[in-house]
mmCIF file of all heavy atoms in Angstrom:
data_model
loop_
_atom_site.group_PDB
_atom_site.id
_atom_site.type_symbol
_atom_site.label_atom_id
_atom_site.label_comp_id
_atom_site.label_asym_id
_atom_site.label_seq_id
_atom_site.Cartn_x
_atom_site.Cartn_y
_atom_site.Cartn_z
ATOM 1 N N GLU A 187 77.695 120.211 86.113
ATOM 2 C CA GLU A 187 77.875 121.595 86.560
ATOM 3 C C GLU A 187 78.829 122.353 85.628
ATOM 4 O O GLU A 187 78.565 123.493 85.238
ATOM 5 C CB GLU A 187 78.432 121.572 87.984
ATOM 6 C CG GLU A 187 78.271 122.852 88.762
ATOM 7 C CD GLU A 187 78.688 122.660 90.212
ATOM 8 O OE1 GLU A 187 79.885 122.384 90.448
ATOM 9 O OE2 GLU A 187 77.826 122.766 91.106
ATOM 10 N N VAL A 188 79.924 121.702 85.262
ATOM 11 C CA VAL A 188 80.895 122.320 84.358
ATOM 12 C C VAL A 188 80.256 122.612 83.003
ATOM 13 O O VAL A 188 80.479 123.674 82.413
ATOM 14 C CB VAL A 188 82.130 121.405 84.186
ATOM 15 C CG1 VAL A 188 83.003 121.874 83.027
ATOM 16 C CG2 VAL A 188 82.943 121.358 85.471
ATOM 17 N N ALA A 189 79.450 121.668 82.508
ATOM 18 C CA ALA A 189 78.788 121.856 81.209
ATOM 19 C C ALA A 189 77.901 123.098 81.227
ATOM 20 O O ALA A 189 77.882 123.874 80.263
ATOM 21 C CB ALA A 189 77.974 120.612 80.861
ATOM 22 N N GLU A 190 77.182 123.293 82.321
ATOM 23 C CA GLU A 190 76.327 124.473 82.427
ATOM 24 C C GLU A 190 77.166 125.748 82.512
ATOM 25 O O GLU A 190 76.853 126.755 81.873
ATOM 26 C CB GLU A 190 75.416 124.344 83.649
ATOM 27 C CG GLU A 190 74.328 123.281 83.488
ATOM 28 C CD GLU A 190 73.363 123.271 84.663
ATOM 29 O OE1 GLU A 190 73.539 124.102 85.583
ATOM 30 O OE2 GLU A 190 72.439 122.435 84.657
ATOM 31 N N GLN A 191 78.221 125.713 83.304
ATOM 32 C CA GLN A 191 79.071 126.896 83.475
ATOM 33 C C GLN A 191 79.725 127.315 82.165
ATOM 34 O O GLN A 191 79.873 128.500 81.883
ATOM 35 C CB GLN A 191 80.146 126.608 84.523
ATOM 36 C CG GLN A 191 79.612 126.472 85.941
ATOM 37 C CD GLN A 191 80.670 125.973 86.906
ATOM 38 O OE1 GLN A 191 81.761 125.557 86.516
ATOM 39 N NE2 GLN A 191 80.353 125.988 88.201
ATOM 40 N N ARG A 192 80.120 126.327 81.353
ATOM 41 C CA ARG A 192 80.846 126.622 80.117
ATOM 42 C C ARG A 192 79.931 126.737 78.896
ATOM 43 O O ARG A 192 80.414 126.987 77.801
ATOM 44 C CB ARG A 192 81.909 125.551 79.871
ATOM 45 C CG ARG A 192 82.968 125.489 80.966
ATOM 46 C CD ARG A 192 84.170 124.690 80.529
ATOM 47 N NE ARG A 192 85.227 124.702 81.531
ATOM 48 C CZ ARG A 192 86.450 124.237 81.328
ATOM 49 N NH1 ARG A 192 86.774 123.727 80.131
ATOM 50 N NH2 ARG A 192 87.369 124.276 82.266
ATOM 51 N N GLY A 193 78.651 126.524 79.097
ATOM 52 C CA GLY A 193 77.722 126.618 77.989
ATOM 53 C C GLY A 193 77.832 125.466 77.001
ATOM 54 O O GLY A 193 77.469 125.606 75.825
ATOM 55 N N TRP A 194 78.306 124.326 77.470
ATOM 56 C CA TRP A 194 78.388 123.146 76.608
ATOM 57 C C TRP A 194 77.004 122.514 76.467
ATOM 58 O O TRP A 194 76.251 122.421 77.435
ATOM 59 C CB TRP A 194 79.324 122.101 77.203
ATOM 60 C CG TRP A 194 80.761 122.484 77.249
ATOM 61 C CD1 TRP A 194 81.364 123.514 76.593
ATOM 62 C CD2 TRP A 194 81.784 121.830 78.013
ATOM 63 N NE1 TRP A 194 82.704 123.546 76.883
ATOM 64 C CE2 TRP A 194 82.998 122.521 77.748
ATOM 65 C CE3 TRP A 194 81.810 120.741 78.870
ATOM 66 C CZ2 TRP A 194 84.207 122.145 78.329
ATOM 67 C CZ3 TRP A 194 83.016 120.360 79.444
ATOM 68 C CH2 TRP A 194 84.196 121.070 79.172
ATOM 69 N N ASN A 195 76.708 122.052 75.283
ATOM 70 C CA ASN A 195 75.455 121.325 75.064
ATOM 71 C C ASN A 195 75.669 119.851 75.404
ATOM 72 O O ASN A 195 75.465 118.959 74.582
ATOM 73 C CB ASN A 195 74.990 121.488 73.615
ATOM 74 C CG ASN A 195 73.579 120.943 73.416
ATOM 75 O OD1 ASN A 195 72.792 120.904 74.352
ATOM 76 N ND2 ASN A 195 73.279 120.507 72.207
ATOM 77 N N LEU A 196 76.104 119.612 76.627
ATOM 78 C CA LEU A 196 76.451 118.267 77.092
ATOM 79 C C LEU A 196 75.565 117.886 78.261
ATOM 80 O O LEU A 196 75.402 118.674 79.198
ATOM 81 C CB LEU A 196 77.923 118.223 77.531
ATOM 82 C CG LEU A 196 78.393 116.931 78.210
ATOM 83 C CD1 LEU A 196 78.597 115.827 77.172
ATOM 84 C CD2 LEU A 196 79.680 117.164 79.000
ATOM 85 N N LEU A 197 75.000 116.693 78.212
ATOM 86 C CA LEU A 197 74.207 116.176 79.317
ATOM 87 C C LEU A 197 75.023 115.119 80.043
ATOM 88 O O LEU A 197 75.503 114.170 79.432
ATOM 89 C CB LEU A 197 72.895 115.574 78.797
ATOM 90 C CG LEU A 197 71.868 115.092 79.826
ATOM 91 C CD1 LEU A 197 70.458 115.148 79.240
ATOM 92 C CD2 LEU A 197 72.146 113.665 80.320
ATOM 93 N N SER A 198 75.187 115.311 81.330
ATOM 94 C CA SER A 198 75.863 114.330 82.176
ATOM 95 C C SER A 198 74.870 113.844 83.228
ATOM 96 O O SER A 198 74.334 114.639 84.001
ATOM 97 C CB SER A 198 77.086 114.956 82.857
ATOM 98 O OG SER A 198 77.656 114.057 83.797
ATOM 99 N N ALA A 199 74.602 112.553 83.226
ATOM 100 C CA ALA A 199 73.651 111.978 84.180
ATOM 101 C C ALA A 199 74.210 110.665 84.716
ATOM 102 O O ALA A 199 74.999 109.985 84.047
ATOM 103 C CB ALA A 199 72.297 111.741 83.519
ATOM 104 N N ALA A 200 73.807 110.322 85.923
ATOM 105 C CA ALA A 200 74.250 109.087 86.561
ATOM 106 C C ALA A 200 73.076 108.136 86.723
ATOM 107 O O ALA A 200 71.907 108.527 86.620
ATOM 108 C CB ALA A 200 74.875 109.396 87.919
ATOM 109 N N ALA A 201 73.409 106.878 86.976
ATOM 110 C CA ALA A 201 72.376 105.857 87.176
ATOM 111 C C ALA A 201 72.886 104.825 88.171
ATOM 112 O O ALA A 201 74.088 104.733 88.433
ATOM 113 C CB ALA A 201 72.042 105.183 85.846
ATOM 114 N N HIS A 202 71.963 104.083 88.730
ATOM 115 C CA HIS A 202 72.353 102.899 89.507
ATOM 116 C C HIS A 202 71.366 101.784 89.191
ATOM 117 O O HIS A 202 70.209 102.031 88.855
ATOM 118 C CB HIS A 202 72.424 103.203 91.011
ATOM 119 C CG HIS A 202 71.108 103.259 91.710
ATOM 120 N ND1 HIS A 202 70.464 102.140 92.195
ATOM 121 C CD2 HIS A 202 70.299 104.311 92.024
ATOM 122 C CE1 HIS A 202 69.327 102.494 92.773
ATOM 123 N NE2 HIS A 202 69.206 103.812 92.679
ATOM 124 N N PRO A 203 71.812 100.515 89.260
ATOM 125 C CA PRO A 203 70.980 99.397 88.816
ATOM 126 C C PRO A 203 70.141 98.744 89.899
ATOM 127 O O PRO A 203 69.490 97.728 89.647
ATOM 128 C CB PRO A 203 72.017 98.404 88.290
ATOM 129 C CG PRO A 203 73.179 98.603 89.224
ATOM 130 C CD PRO A 203 73.183 100.087 89.572
#
Side-chain angles (χ1 to χ4, degrees):
E187 199 172 64
V188 167
E190 289 185 1
Q191 291 171 350
R192 298 195 176 190
W194 293 346
N195 190 27
L196 173 76
L197 185 154
S198 173
H202 78 85

